[in-house]
Amino acid sequence: MPVIPINTPSATYNVTIAPNLLPTLHPRLRKLNPGRPFRPFIITSPNIWALWSKPFLASFKEPPTVLFHPAGERHKRMASVESLAQQLSTAGADRDALLLAFGGGVIGDITGFLAAIYMRGIRYVQIPTTLLAQVDSSIGGKTGVNLAAGKNLIGSFHHPQAVFADTDLLRTLPPAELRAGLQESIKAGVIYDARLFRYMEQNAEAILSASAPAKRNADTAALAKVVAASVRVKAEVVSQDEKESGLRMILNFGHTIGHAIEAATSYKQLLHGEAVAWGSIAALSLAVARNTIVEKDANRIVNLILRYGPLPTFKATAEELVALTARDKKNRSGIRSFVLPTAIGKVEIVHDVTEPELLAATQSMLTLMRTGT
Amino acid sequence: MPVIPINTPSATYNVTIAPNLLPTLHPRLRKLNPGRPFRPFIITSPNIWALWSKPFLASFKEPPTVLFHPAGERHKRMASVESLAQQLSTAGADRDALLLAFGGGVIGDITGFLAAIYMRGIRYVQIPTTLLAQVDSSIGGKTGVNLAAGKNLIGSFHHPQAVFADTDLLRTLPPAELRAGLQESIKAGVIYDARLFRYMEQNAEAILSASAPAKRNADTAALAKVVAASVRVKAEVVSQDEKESGLRMILNFGHTIGHAIEAATSYKQLLHGEAVAWGSIAALSLAVARNTIVEKDANRIVNLILRYGPLPTFKATAEELVALTARDKKNRSGIRSFVLPTAIGKVEIVHDVTEPELLAATQSMLTLMRTGT
């Protein structure tokens, strides 16, 4: 069972990846805070709870209070945080409360942010249920909500006490969410781990077979390998640069245009991983135009992204998308930073991307989307 | 000019206390971040800005963007933070933005919290305009907003880069606010500084004369002494215990019942310092009943609190108020902690206060309020 440590200046914790973790949750949680009061509160979505409450509660003698929050990016807002905080208070949560984020990225981000600001900070644990959350968003302490003006513009750095990624949960994941999550694993390969990239090239069918309504007993071994390798990339990067002053920025590959696409479609039409996939394709076009990467490698990456599709199309002009990147959190005093691959498994960060270059790259991605070439 | 340092594990900064600070603000702010982009945004209330914008802007070549937020505890809510964040984003604020909190406690708390969570944390400076903010809320990094369930239930620890307390600002303070702020100075004397307490006993008239519509040129020297001494108490306590694991709790003297009074009156009827004053009287009654303090000392404290009144009355029963203390942030796993004076300038923290004791003490405070004895 892979246990991957995260070591940052402000926190040390483990990501445990294994099947059948849920039924042993209670003793695992108790071990995190020996000798302290144990006052767990579950934050989850109605759908997840309907599917998985039984194994989740199996090891609890007294069932904890459950607070529901709908899944979906459009619910990741301040009003939801306030409502959850109010419910926590009514349920008697004090500074000894331990929040359990049981859901996908939205549940994880909002629970982490709630834990960061409830009574100026309480503890929480991530129990991610989607692939995206298991390989990316549950790890590293970034928490937050969206503004109308843009994604994750409000938030805190606040690490969980532990991450428990039960790979059995991926069996009930809708296939589109599995595919979208795998785009973040492709990203991990592109930016840091050429072996993971090759493994995903060579085992696409086995990896993708894990999820489907008809395949509740599907073999998740190949997928579990991808999860562990992706988590390792994130763990290493975050451990080296907790607050994104340098290396951690490479995790944003594909995210500048990706976030613009999500904003242009009001966070409703595409899954995060799908938007990042399109954003990666645009970034690759920029990298090829700048000669930071050879065309052959860029094509291999684009092909792998499309292999894990299909990616849904959307309506937006290059001008709109580029205008939306002006509000990116990574910009400092008007300068846009971009993560560009130099080879498979390696990237560089550039700070001098001009608006015409960015427009051309975005246009090239939109053309691929519309015409397939 | 007193410059009082705050040294905590997570931040080091100065509180500068002097008249006529506003007209030299720009060079002072520039010095805080040499070599970094300077992108200031002012958060203030319409009233304060109408009175003081001219000296505030005197040293700026380009006037910064100004965002308005109404004063008053009932506006210290998540919705206001979201609206300000949205305005910041629209105005182009990125991670190089520097927020300037120009106002009383509400402006300071909300700006500090906004700075804590905007793009996961940006810099800010406190320029407090009320006595309460100058001696207490601007210092120590506690930021936050209220929930319907209670005061400051949402927040972060996020220190300002500096605090500039211009004592000239106190000349336009409504007399009731000056008096309410002085209650926090009395608290500082009670818990930590017997000399400050005696100074306030012996110079009440001079201290209180500083504020009045007719006295724009009043002598603020006595008041400035009180401000500096109060800041020193807070600075020493916070520097020794940043996150309130021990010593810092003594700053909460009078606040348990004080917060309950504010909640019972929907944060509308009493100023914070006034509620704390009543809360202190209740805590003293508890301390006398427990023999932690001799009656003579307790009476001296009650008399000083009333000398800096009048304290407005309010409607609430002892039962209501005690029920509201059950949600206090300081409670851990159901145990209430209380700060009780043992002499003037000294307190102890007790954890075994029973409900009947608390009811009796609250009732005794209410009787004093209703009958004067």
Side-chain angles (χ1 to χ4, degrees), chain B residues 58-347:
Chain B
S59 57
F60 285 83
K61 269 181 210 157
E62 287 174 68
T65 303
V66 181
L67 305 183
F68 290 107
H69 178 75
E73 199 67 37
R74 68 185 173 285
H75 300 294
K76 217 176 84 174
R77 294 299 294 266
M78 285 285 255
S80 313
V81 177
E82 184 174 36
S83 160
L84 288 169
Q86 181 69 35
Q87 291 172 64
L88 275 183
S89 177
T90 306
D94 66 14
R95 284 181 173 145
D96 284 325
L98 174 68
L99 304 189
L100 309 178
F102 186 47
V106 169
I107 295 284
D109 283 4
I110 210 163
T111 303
F113 186 51
L114 180 63
I117 64 173
Y118 186 72
M119 295 191 173
R120 297 198 193 93
I122 58 173
R123 296 163 295 150
Y124 77 111
V125 166
Q126 293 272 18
I127 305 150
T129 60
T130 66
L131 183 60
L132 179 62
Q134 292 192 353
V135 302
D136 186 31
S137 58
S138 67
I139 304 155
K142 279 193 184 181
T143 74
V145 296
N146 304 327
L147 285 179
K151 214 177 143 164
N152 295 327
L153 285 180
I154 290 285
S156 288
F157 282 99
H158 188 52
H159 289 281
Q161 281 206 308
V163 181
F164 297 110
D166 185 335
T167 49
D168 283 346
L169 288 160
L170 304 177
R171 285 200 189 124
T172 56
L173 201 61
E177 282 201 40
L178 183 81
R179 288 163 185 274
L182 285 165
Q183 296 292 347
E184 289 279 357
S185 293
I186 294 174
K187 181 200 80 179
V190 169
I191 62 172
Y192 202 83
D193 185 352
R195 272 188 60 196
L196 167 60
F197 186 91
R198 272 196 305 278
Y199 185 82
M200 292 187 75
E201 281 187 323
Q202 288 158 8
N203 299 277
E205 202 171 333
I207 294 164
L208 285 164
S209 74
S211 159
K215 294 191 187 164
R216 298 247 158 175
N217 297 311
D219 179 14
T220 54
L223 183 57
K225 263 196 181 176
V226 171
V227 173
S230 310
V231 168
R232 245 176 232 114
V233 171
K234 178 113 189 205
E236 284 185 27
V237 170
V238 166
S239 295
Q240 288 171 66
D241 174 29
E242 179 181 22
K243 296 278 173 81
E244 198 168 323
S245 48
L247 183 68
R248 189 164 176 170
M249 279 187 61
I250 72 172
L251 297 170
N252 292 316
F253 171 61
H255 280 60
T256 305
I257 297 288
H259 283 164
I261 293 170
E262 289 184 286
T265 54
S266 308
Y267 305 103
K268 280 178 197 163
Q269 228 174 304
L270 278 79
L271 294 167
H272 175 65
E274 293 166 345
V276 168
W278 286 123
S280 302
I281 290 171
L284 282 162
S285 164
L286 184 56
V288 168
R290 287 196 154 219
N291 282 319
T292 71
I293 193 168
V294 296
E295 205 159 347
K296 194 182 116 254
D297 281 350
N299 287 341
R300 252 180 88 190
I301 299 173
V302 172
N303 286 337
L304 193 66
I305 289 171
L306 297 174
R307 172 71 186 86
Y308 283 80
L311 300 178
T313 61
F314 59 92
K315 279 193 179 139
T317 65
E319 288 74 17
E320 270 175 70
L321 295 176
V322 171
L324 283 164
T325 65
R327 286 214 197 105
D328 198 82
K329 275 202 303 303
K330 293 178 289 303
N331 299 342
R332 299 293 287 246
S333 298
I335 295 165
R336 279 190 197 89
S337 298
F338 251 89
V339 183
L340 298 180
T342 54
I344 285 163
K346 284 205 178 68
V347 289

